[in-house]
Amino acid sequence: MAGLSAFAKAHPRRAEASLKEAVILREAIYTLFLSEDACQPYPHQAFEIVHDIATRARARQVLSKAEDGFRWLLPLKDPSDLVALFAVSAVELITGRNGRRLIRQCKGDNCGWLFLDTSKSGRRLWCSEATCGTHARVKRF
Ligand SMILES: [Zn+2]
């Protein structure tokens, strides 16, 4: 990430703005997926933040040749592009799951991490069996 560091030194205001937007986006994505874990509708404000940043990014994507065909890529020219890429990825998680709820919040004590539940049953409880899962089983025992 030396490129980002150099960019931040050369353009401190744009870097600061991107950092603020990244924090806002992070909180919005977390809010969306916590709602999803609780089987609640997405809060409007959080959805709008993710939607707006992803929409801006989609307009700048270019169709590029990849090993297995073509892909939409977002050229990364400054830190705001990186923020936009996270918004696009969050939207892809929302739209690319065939109606299945994939995002869950870990049920481990003092954890709170979100994870992709790709288990066959779709009922995974912990971010990691090795950490939170083991702690929960030891506590129960
Ligand atoms: Zn956990």
Side-chain angles (χ1 to χ4, degrees):
M1 290 280 130
L4 286 177
S5 181
F7 182 92
K9 286 179 183 157
H11 309 281
R13 285 191 188 154
R14 286 173 57 191
E16 179 82 24
S18 293
L19 177 61
K20 284 181 183 172
E21 189 173 49
V23 171
I24 290 168
L25 177 65
R26 179 191 67 193
E27 296 304 313
I29 291 171
Y30 192 71
T31 299
L32 288 185
F33 291 137
L34 278 183
S35 302
E36 186 171 313
D37 184 62
C39 298
Q40 298 293 316
Y42 292 145
H44 180 74
Q45 185 179 7
F47 184 83
E48 287 298 311
I49 289 167
V50 175
H51 175 270
D52 291 352
I53 296 171
T55 300
R56 283 193 334 250
R58 288 274 187 211
R60 295 188 352 261
Q61 285 185 312
V62 293
L63 193 58
S64 299
K65 180 85 175 110
E67 285 182 20
D68 57 347
F70 288 89
R71 292 179 191 253
W72 287 106
L73 296 178
L74 181 64
L76 299 178
K77 295 179 179 169
D78 72 52
S80 69
D81 294 331
L82 197 54
V83 175
L85 187 60
F86 285 116
V88 168
S89 296
V91 169
E92 287 173 354
L93 278 175
I94 292 170
T95 59
R97 62 173 99 188
N98 302 323
R100 186 168 170 207
R101 189 169 65 115
L102 285 177
I103 310 296
R104 298 202 182 262
Q105 184 182 33
C106 180
K107 304 303 182 239
D109 289 342
N110 301 318
C111 184
W113 279 49
L114 298 175
F115 61 90
L116 276 175
D117 183 1
T118 55
S119 67
K120 202 171 189 177
S121 68
R123 304 172 113 193
R124 197 172 123 194
L125 296 174
W126 303 292
C127 62
S128 163
E129 287 295 323
T131 57
C132 291
T134 299
H135 288 189
R137 282 190 290 277
V138 167
K139 185 177 176 184
R140 199 174 342 143
F141 178 73

